[in-house]
Amino acid sequence: MIPFPRTRNAALVGAVCTGLAAVLVGCGGAAEDPDAGTNGVGKLSAAKIESKSRKAVDGAEAVRLSGSLVTKGRTYKLDMRLKGGPKGGGTGQLSTKGSTFELLRVGDELYLKADADFWASQKGGEPSRSDSAAASKLDDKYVKVPSGDSAYKQLSGFTDMDLLLEGLLGLHGKRATGDRGTVGGVRTIRITGGEGAGGSLDVSLEGTPYPLRLQRAGGAGVLQLADWNKEFLLKAPDKDHIVDYGRQITTS
């Protein structure tokens, strides 16, 4: 066997070591900064993340809220687009106890749209022929909910962005930071209350630190928050599509 010259051996070993070092660095030898390219809130304490998220919500003008919500023993499924402020309102769909209907609020005016079966069931019991005939005239029409009706306060709450978010977004118990993840393709950091028993909030690590997902305490629902500040059309229906109901409205 003919030995290589010492100088050639040294050069070969050096080249191999240099290449190996490059491979090791490329495979994670150097730690990647998890906050690179983010808005920086991931470096903050849970309390400060929550504070910044709240501030972002207070400054927002619109949001889309979807998911499930449990309140007063009743489960609602909702998909609402909301605008804040005194001239705000909302539009979208709400379901509970087998009933599905649409809500629309423009300013103080609240409208409800549902199919004939929904209206026929409002009297309670098995609907008569006259009930069914009257309900058919309301099918897929907007019915204005009187402001004095007991349903007005209950239903309008689902269209009030400021009131709804104020009541929903609070966590309970000691705050802590949780896992990083994604919601709708957006990187997030989770903050929890009471080790998760007090609810959790996934806050965006990209752009404005809006809350993107809420899990309420006690299994009281999971909600997605999207389309922050995204403009959408909100106007009262045409008069030809509005019908006066003239009876008390319920959602039982």
Side-chain angles (χ1 to χ4, degrees):
M1 182 176 179
I2 302 173
F4 288 108
R6 289 178 178 274
T7 55
R8 188 172 180 183
N9 284 342
L12 180 61
V13 171
V16 170
C17 290
T18 300
L20 181 60
V23 170
L24 290 175
V25 171
C27 291
E32 183 180 349
D33 182 2
D35 293 299
T38 72
N39 54 24
V41 298
K43 300 178 181 180
L44 305 178
S45 68
K48 288 185 177 180
I49 294 173
E50 184 179 25
S51 176
K52 282 187 171 293
S53 179
R54 277 283 188 176
K55 186 176 181 180
V57 170
D58 290 343
E61 297 180 355
V63 68
R64 181 173 185 174
L65 192 66
S66 61
S68 62
L69 175 64
V70 181
T71 178
K72 296 182 179 179
R74 178 179 292 185
T75 299
Y76 294 90
K77 290 186 177 181
L78 64 155
D79 187 355
M80 301 293 300
R81 301 198 69 174
L82 308 170
K83 285 186 179 181
K87 295 183 179 181
T91 181
Q93 189 176 80
L94 194 67
S95 299
T96 181
K97 288 189 175 181
S99 296
T100 299
F101 47 91
E102 293 182 28
L103 291 176
L104 170 64
R105 183 175 65 84
V106 182
D108 293 329
E109 305 296 328
L110 177 66
Y111 304 90
L112 187 153
K113 184 168 75 169
D115 60 21
D117 290 340
F118 171 87
W119 293 113
S121 68
Q122 292 304 294
K123 190 175 182 180
E126 192 68 25
S128 64
R129 287 186 178 181
S130 60
D131 290 330
S132 297
S136 66
K137 296 180 181 179
L138 301 175
D139 184 47
D140 209 33
K141 298 286 187 179
Y142 285 98
V143 175
K144 185 177 180 180
V145 182
S147 58
D149 193 298
S150 60
Y152 182 91
K153 183 176 181 180
Q154 176 190 8
L155 295 176
S156 64
F158 289 102
T159 66
D160 191 323
M161 175 179 167
D162 301 328
L163 181 65
L164 197 57
L165 294 183
E166 178 65 28
L168 290 177
L169 291 179
L171 301 177
H172 305 283
K174 185 178 179 180
R175 308 312 197 255
T177 54
D179 296 335
R180 293 169 184 253
T182 60
V183 176
V186 178
R187 287 179 291 174
T188 58
I189 180 79
R190 177 169 293 180
I191 55 174
T192 63
E195 297 183 344
S200 66
L201 200 62
D202 294 325
V203 178
S204 176
L205 285 172
E206 301 178 20
T208 305
Y210 290 119
L212 301 183
R213 182 179 182 273
L214 166 70
Q215 183 161 346
R216 300 185 72 209
V222 178
L223 294 164
Q224 304 277 344
L225 301 98
D227 295 343
W228 286 100
N229 281 331
K230 187 174 182 179
E231 182 61 31
F232 64 95
L233 183 63
L234 188 63
K235 69 173 185 176
D238 297 334
K239 292 182 178 180
D240 293 342
H241 292 90
I242 300 175
V243 176
D244 288 329
Y245 187 35
R247 288 186 357 198
Q248 186 179 23
I249 299 170
T250 67
T251 56
S252 302

